[in-house]
Amino acid sequence: MKNNDFKAVAADKNNPNYGELTRRENGLYSEKGEVRSEFARDYTRVLHSTAYRRLKHKTQVFYNIENDHICTRMEHVLHVESAAYTIAKRLKLNDELTRAIAMAHDLGHAPFGHHGERIIGKLYKKYLQGETFWHEKNGLYLADKIELLPDHENVYRNLNLTYAVRDGIISHCGEVDETGVKPREELFDLALFNTPGKYQPVTYEGCVVKLSDKIAYVGRDIEDALNLGFLSPASVGKLQKIVGLKNGEAVNTSTIMSNMILDVCRVSTPDKGICFSEDMGETLTKIKAFNNENIYKNKRFSAFNRYADLVISELFATLYSCYDRGDPVRGLEKKKHAYPTLVQEFCDYLFKYCADEYSRAAGWKKQAFYKNAKPYGALETKEIYARAVLDYIAGMTDRFAVKCFDELITY
């Protein structure tokens, strides 16, 4: 095969592990005359999910929910999908699997971007016996236990994605400093992932998404920073030298991403993995360092960080305080009148994920039928209740979190 032809190692029907890669925890209902592959069905399942829809109102880097031209988490996901699809197509990998992983990779992000992730992480450690929260793990948990889709009989079930896509979600960590990625060999239980980036993806397609995540965020973060005036003329001049653009090329998302994508397509091989050239790898490292110093650590984020901390902390404190002497239903009823949106929506959330007997006893009634995982059981302990509260907040959009917070301060 050609040096950069990955056809022989693609995750397609000729792959010896294809059966395991397409395995689902539960059988998926069949479509009459189905024309999609298992991975194409995963792509559609993610596309139709509410978790994906909420990404359009979640911060990528810059909190600016009223500015339609600032990159949101959804737009970032589409940038990753575009880059990953181009690379996979050129390298003759399974582009349907690549697109499905790319669409799902950031489902687990909290409101207010990575800062929101850090805030919820602190609450995890305090209230869940030192557990850690990171969006890759939360994305897999959400896909397996939380996110729902109705089947043809309008019964709501969990996403039930294939192993390869689930693996791509939890292994995609793009913040780890790597300029090349090669898949691991073992198809083990994904519960073994207990820290971000601990293991590489099990497919080359997952590796493509992992590298495409870097390509997407370093480019677009710079463009947004320029548009919002975060970068001084001196820093822009420094950046132009780092990027090493050709004469006449501008510093924007298109040129940065295009140059990196072409480089990956040119130098990647099955032996080396999905990688950058040495020169492009050095450029990427320098760009990330530049972004970290001039964008992510910019003092203009200080007010946003304090605000995000206040919003998430107060929402948690309000709902957590409803665990009234072991009876959260009673506590929630007491505060429903004062905070109707926050509390009623949380009760609707609990209905779907508590044991059926408990939900009926609580008086939570719905017309739809839910046959999904019930991670909170009967809310037997305060720790289980805390997890429910944190899961609920982690799923919020920035906009909904702010709306609920405004209820807390409006008398």
Side-chain angles (χ1 to χ4, degrees):
M1 65 181 177
K2 293 182 180 178
N3 197 35
N4 62 347
D5 184 339
F6 284 69
K7 180 65 177 173
V9 293
D12 57 24
K13 291 183 178 180
N14 295 317
N15 189 302
N17 292 322
Y18 187 75
E20 279 298 300
L21 294 174
T22 56
R23 180 177 58 82
R24 303 179 190 274
E25 292 299 309
N26 300 291
L28 194 62
Y29 65 90
S30 60
E31 297 271 12
K32 186 177 181 180
E34 179 62 74
V35 296
R36 295 169 297 169
S37 71
E38 293 297 325
F39 299 138
R41 293 193 73 181
D42 278 358
Y43 176 90
T44 307
R45 292 179 74 74
V46 173
L47 178 65
H48 291 169
S49 70
T50 55
Y52 176 75
R53 295 173 206 166
R54 288 196 296 267
L55 296 179
K56 65 185 174 184
H57 293 306
K58 288 194 175 189
T59 290
Q60 167 63 11
V61 171
F62 299 95
Y63 174 73
N64 208 322
I65 57 178
E66 302 303 326
N67 188 334
D68 293 336
H69 300 146
I70 296 303
C71 187
T72 65
R73 184 64 55 182
M74 178 181 281
E75 188 177 349
H76 164 73
V77 165
L78 293 175
H79 282 152
V80 174
E81 185 204 0
S82 173
Y85 173 78
T86 299
I87 294 170
K89 194 76 172 177
R90 174 64 180 84
L91 299 182
K92 298 184 180 179
L93 286 166
N94 189 327
D95 53 80
E96 290 185 337
L97 170 58
T98 307
R99 294 181 72 203
I101 295 172
M103 285 288 281
H105 84 280
D106 267 357
L107 292 180
H109 260 290
F112 306 117
H114 284 286
H115 188 63
E117 184 175 356
R118 289 189 288 270
I119 298 165
I120 292 179
K122 291 178 182 178
L123 293 170
Y124 252 63
K125 288 184 178 180
K126 183 176 180 179
Y127 293 95
L128 300 182
Q129 297 184 8
E131 281 193 41
T132 57
F133 177 91
W134 34 290
H135 76 269
E136 297 92 345
K137 182 179 76 170
N138 190 55
L140 180 60
Y141 169 69
L142 186 149
D144 287 350
K145 305 293 185 183
I146 303 298
E147 189 60 25
L148 307 175
L149 279 178
D151 62 19
H152 285 183
E153 296 176 347
N154 211 35
V155 176
Y156 283 77
R157 306 176 189 270
N158 296 111
L159 286 185
N160 193 21
L161 303 177
T162 59
Y163 178 90
V165 174
R166 295 171 61 244
D167 171 80
I169 294 172
I170 198 168
S171 65
H172 82 265
C173 184
E175 285 74 47
V176 176
D177 286 325
E178 297 167 318
T179 55
V181 191
K182 196 171 181 180
R184 69 177 194 276
E185 295 181 359
E186 304 85 6
L187 282 78
F188 49 60
D189 186 342
L190 298 179
L192 291 175
F193 279 86
N194 51 28
T195 55
K198 183 175 183 178
Y199 301 107
Q200 299 292 13
V202 77
T203 63
Y204 280 96
E205 289 81 359
C207 293
V208 168
V209 174
K210 185 170 184 175
L211 217 61
S212 297
D213 193 20
K214 298 174 186 285
I215 293 172
Y217 77 71
V218 296
R220 184 52 198 262
D221 292 354
I222 289 171
E223 185 167 318
D224 281 349
L226 286 166
N227 290 337
L228 292 172
F230 268 60
L231 302 180
S232 67
S235 64
V236 173
K238 181 180 178 181
L239 179 62
Q240 288 175 326
K241 293 180 180 179
I242 291 173
V243 175
L245 298 176
K246 300 173 185 176
N247 290 335
E249 283 189 326
V251 177
N252 58 35
T253 306
S254 297
T255 52
I256 292 174
M257 288 185 64
S258 177
N259 289 341
M260 289 185 178
I261 290 169
L262 293 174
D263 184 81
V264 171
C265 290
R266 180 174 59 84
V267 304
S268 295
T269 68
D271 290 336
K272 292 191 298 183
I274 308 300
C275 59
F276 294 106
S277 65
E278 185 175 345
D279 287 346
M280 186 60 75
E282 291 178 1
T283 298
L284 174 62
T285 299
K286 290 177 181 178
I287 293 176
K288 289 179 67 177
F290 174 90
N291 285 8
N292 190 51
E293 187 63 33
N294 294 276
I295 300 176
Y296 311 136
K297 291 183 178 179
N298 195 299
K299 292 181 179 180
R300 287 177 61 180
F301 278 116
S302 298
F304 161 70
N305 290 342
R306 290 193 297 272
Y307 179 65
D309 201 331
L310 177 65
V311 171
I312 291 176
S313 298
E314 289 301 318
L315 292 178
F316 176 80
T318 300
L319 291 175
Y320 187 66
S321 68
C322 292
Y323 199 82
D324 187 355
R325 290 172 289 178
D327 187 353
V329 176
R330 178 172 57 198
L332 289 166
E333 284 297 323
K334 287 180 180 178
K335 293 193 177 181
K336 189 178 291 185
H337 177 71
Y339 314 124
T341 301
L342 175 64
V343 175
Q344 183 59 60
E345 290 287 339
F346 183 54
C347 288
D348 291 345
Y349 174 85
L350 287 176
F351 167 85
K352 293 178 283 190
Y353 304 108
C354 286
D356 293 339
E357 298 81 3
Y358 184 84
S359 293
R360 283 194 292 267
W364 297 328
K365 299 178 181 179
K366 287 283 183 180
Q367 295 300 316
F369 183 62
Y370 295 88
K371 197 170 183 179
N372 56 285
K374 308 292 182 181
Y376 312 135
L379 298 173
E380 294 90 348
T381 68
K382 201 169 186 178
E383 183 178 334
I384 294 175
Y385 180 73
R387 182 182 298 279
V389 174
L390 288 169
D391 287 350
Y392 174 62
I393 294 173
M396 288 181 175
T397 64
D398 298 18
R399 181 172 294 183
F400 185 68
V402 169
K403 179 180 179 180
C404 290
F405 176 73
D406 287 346
E407 274 191 341
L408 304 184
I409 59 177
T410 303
Y411 299 97

